Structure formats: C-alpha cells, structure tokens
C-alpha cells in the first residue's frame, strides 16, 4: 500500500471540491496512472497556509508538515491549483518550499493529480 498526500492551494477553495483529484486517484488516471494495480491510501489532503507564508515562518504550517511527515507518505501530489497564477508550469514559491521539505526526506513530489503539469 502507498500513502498519498495531496498538496493544494487555499485560493482554489471556492471552486475545488477535491472530487477530480480523488477520482483520478481512485481510477488510476492522469498522474496516478503510475500506480496501476497498487493499493493507495489518502494520507492527507493539505493546503499551504497562503501566499507569503513559508515553512519556518508559521507554526501552523510547520505543524501540518510535521504531521504529514509522521505518517511517512510514499508520495506527495501537487494539485494543478498550485501552479503560479494558474498558468505555465511554474509552481508558487510557498509550494516549492514545502515540496523541498518532502524531497529532502526522499519523498517523491509529483506535479499533478487529475491533470499533469
């Protein structure tokens, strides 16, 4: 079994239900096609703490990251909502910083859920 973490943007809350992310995981489509035939578990559905708030500068964000690390996820998937301004392929600075923490712990960070970017 692989434990999956979703990392999303709080700015998307007004339009995002998470349904497309979960459907892609459950059906093993898009960024989850790599897990065909594997059992997956959602370990967390995390949002960053907002623009301008970086790890180390916010106790709540640091606590969220610590909780996720404690469940030893096998991968972190970045929602398409984490793209800077919703365009291009670059992710916002806050998400880059959070992703770096997971990568430094040898946890793969994958760009995409129901859509690859």
């Amino acid at each position: 079994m692989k434990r999956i973490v979703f990392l999303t943007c709080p700015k998307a809350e007004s339009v995002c239900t998470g349904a497309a992310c979960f459907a892609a995981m459950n059906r093993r489509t898009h960024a989850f096609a790599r897990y065909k035939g594997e059992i997956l578990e959602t370990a967390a559905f995390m949002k960053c703490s907002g623009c301008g708030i970086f790890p180390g500068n916010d106790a709540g964000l640091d606590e969220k990251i610590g909780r996720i690390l404690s469940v030893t996820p096998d991968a972190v998937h970045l929602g398409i909502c984490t793209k800077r301004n919703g365009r291009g392929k670059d992710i916002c600075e806050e998400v880059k910083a959070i992703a770096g923490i997971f990568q430094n712990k040898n946890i793969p960070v994958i760009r995409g859920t129901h859509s690859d970017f």
Side-chain angles (χ1 to χ4, degrees), residues 1 7 17 19 28 60 65 73 84-85 88 94 101 107 113-114:
M1 177 177 50
L7 176 54
T17 64
R28 307 300 187 273
I65 293 168
R84 184 185 309 231
N85 299 323
E94 290 81 2
I101 292 168
I107 300 167
T113 55
H114 61 286

Side-chain angles (χ1 to χ4, degrees), residues 46-66 94 98 101:
M46 175 191 176
K47 295 179 181 353
C48 75
S49 289
C51 297
I53 302 174
F54 291 90
N57 295 328
D58 178 66
L61 178 58
D62 296 339
E63 184 177 338
K64 285 192 270 190
I65 293 168
E94 290 81 2
I98 294 167
I101 292 168

Side-chain angles (χ1 to χ4, degrees), residues 13-55:
E13 285 182 338
S14 64
V15 296
C16 178
T17 64
C21 289
F22 286 112
M25 185 182 90
N26 292 336
R27 296 178 185 142
R28 307 300 187 273
T29 59
H30 301 285
F32 295 97
R34 70 188 74 223
Y35 306 113
K36 285 226 186 277
E38 295 187 63
I39 297 170
L40 301 180
E41 174 184 276
T42 302
F45 196 86
M46 175 191 176
K47 295 179 181 353
C48 75
S49 289
C51 297
I53 302 174
F54 291 90

